Amino acid sequence: MNEGILLRAGRVLMWGSVAFWIIFLVTPIVLPVLSSFTATEYLVFPPRGLSLRWYEYILDLQWFRTSLVTSLIAATVTTVLCAAIALCAARVIARSRGRSAALFEYLCLAPLVVPSVVFGFAFFNLLVQLNLRGLGILNLIVGHAVVTLPLMLRPIWASMQNADISLEEAAQSLGATPFETFMRITLPGIMPGIVAGCIVTFTYAFNDVNVAIFLTGPTLQTLPVELMSQIGYTPNASPAAVTSLIIVATIAVFFAIDRTAGMDVFTRK
């Protein structure tokens, strides 16, 4: 009898905890989306009336267009740079053995250990000491590349680790050069991992605040950083509309990963 009561109490506690965390995680996503459809002149929840006026309004905002272009450029260049570096690093890790390979692996994945806000502050101080604050978007790209390299490396490395090395050996035995073997055999096989890594890296670099807030300035603002400043003194629902667009785009990106490479590309080894 007591065991049955304890079992039921445990189930209630478990499902209660699940419901709490779902609500805790989903509410900050749902509230801005619903509030962005308000027809009033100010941000309110629940929305009073339904309208798309704020989505039309943000298209005419100068800060939205400028910061969006900055974020797109920085995220795109960061993704391309990380893809090139991660391909070389994954090749070394997947085809090497011994302590040197393990040390190189830990070095590449080390940014995962350091909180991004700590890295952003440290990188900012380094730029100040070296008098390199004036490089603008280049600093932003380098900072994002360091933080996002492990996100790009992990899926590419996992795909390369699972690739059949005998196919490469067969191609080279038939006269193909190492470069031709990589381009015609290895690269097509690891393409799902590359696509997944590029999508995650681009998404992180585009949405990042912890690093970007230290590396932007009055003349250079990314969309998330600019959005944070606008929320503080903009009473209408335009920040909620921008937030909704970012949320929808992010969800679509991870849905694309799941439909192409699969989310397990980040965990399998």
Side-chain angles (χ1 to χ4, degrees):
M1 182 66 178
N2 291 334
E3 292 182 0
I5 294 176
L6 290 175
L7 182 59
R8 287 194 294 271
R11 289 177 177 174
V12 171
L13 180 61
M14 180 188 70
W15 287 112
S17 300
V18 170
F20 169 79
W21 286 111
I22 290 177
I23 294 173
F24 180 80
L25 295 173
V26 173
T27 300
I29 298 176
V30 174
L31 290 183
V33 175
L34 296 180
S35 300
S36 65
F37 292 103
T38 184
T40 59
E41 295 294 330
Y42 51 88
L43 184 64
V44 62
F45 183 85
R48 299 177 183 176
L50 295 177
S51 174
L52 295 175
R53 58 177 296 191
W54 297 113
Y55 290 91
E56 299 175 357
Y57 176 78
I58 62 176
L59 296 179
D60 295 327
L61 294 176
Q62 180 64 35
W63 66 263
F64 173 72
R65 297 198 301 267
T66 303
S67 59
L68 176 61
V69 171
T70 301
S71 292
L72 288 174
I73 293 175
T76 301
V77 176
T78 299
T79 302
V80 174
L81 179 62
C82 284
I85 298 174
L87 271 173
C88 299
R91 183 70 174 180
V92 172
I93 297 174
R95 297 294 182 261
S96 301
R97 297 292 183 270
R99 294 184 178 180
S100 59
L103 179 62
F104 183 66
E105 172 190 342
Y106 294 144
L107 180 64
C108 292
L109 298 179
L112 293 176
V113 181
V114 182
S116 56
V117 66
V118 175
F119 169 77
F121 180 72
F123 189 51
F124 168 78
N125 279 277
L126 176 63
L127 294 175
V128 171
Q129 294 296 326
L130 298 178
N131 196 25
L132 297 176
R133 281 283 293 158
L135 296 181
I137 196 171
L138 181 60
N139 292 334
L140 188 63
I141 293 171
V142 173
H144 281 159
V146 173
V147 175
T148 58
L149 179 60
L151 304 179
M152 177 72 77
L153 175 62
R154 185 66 187 183
I156 296 177
W157 173 30
S159 298
M160 195 170 292
Q161 191 77 12
N162 294 326
D164 190 356
I165 193 173
S166 63
L167 296 177
E168 300 181 21
E169 295 173 347
Q172 293 187 36
S173 68
L174 294 174
T177 64
F179 179 76
E180 291 174 338
T181 301
F182 180 80
M183 295 300 296
R184 298 184 180 184
I185 303 298
T186 307
L187 191 60
I190 65 174
M191 190 56 68
I194 296 175
V195 172
C198 288
I199 293 175
V200 172
T201 300
F202 181 88
T203 305
Y204 186 97
F206 184 88
N207 292 324
D208 173 71
V209 173
N210 295 330
V211 175
I213 198 170
F214 293 102
L215 304 179
T216 54
T219 59
L220 178 70
Q221 291 286 349
T222 62
L223 182 58
V225 175
E226 182 68 33
L227 182 59
M228 286 185 59
S229 63
Q230 292 292 330
I231 290 175
Y233 58 85
T234 303
N236 58 42
S238 59
V242 176
T243 302
S244 301
L245 293 179
I246 295 176
I247 290 173
V248 172
T250 303
I251 293 175
V253 161
F254 281 95
F255 179 79
I257 295 176
D258 185 60
R259 300 299 295 179
T260 54
M263 295 302 295
D264 62 333
V265 73
F266 299 100
T267 57
R268 64 175 182 258
K269 180 177 180 180

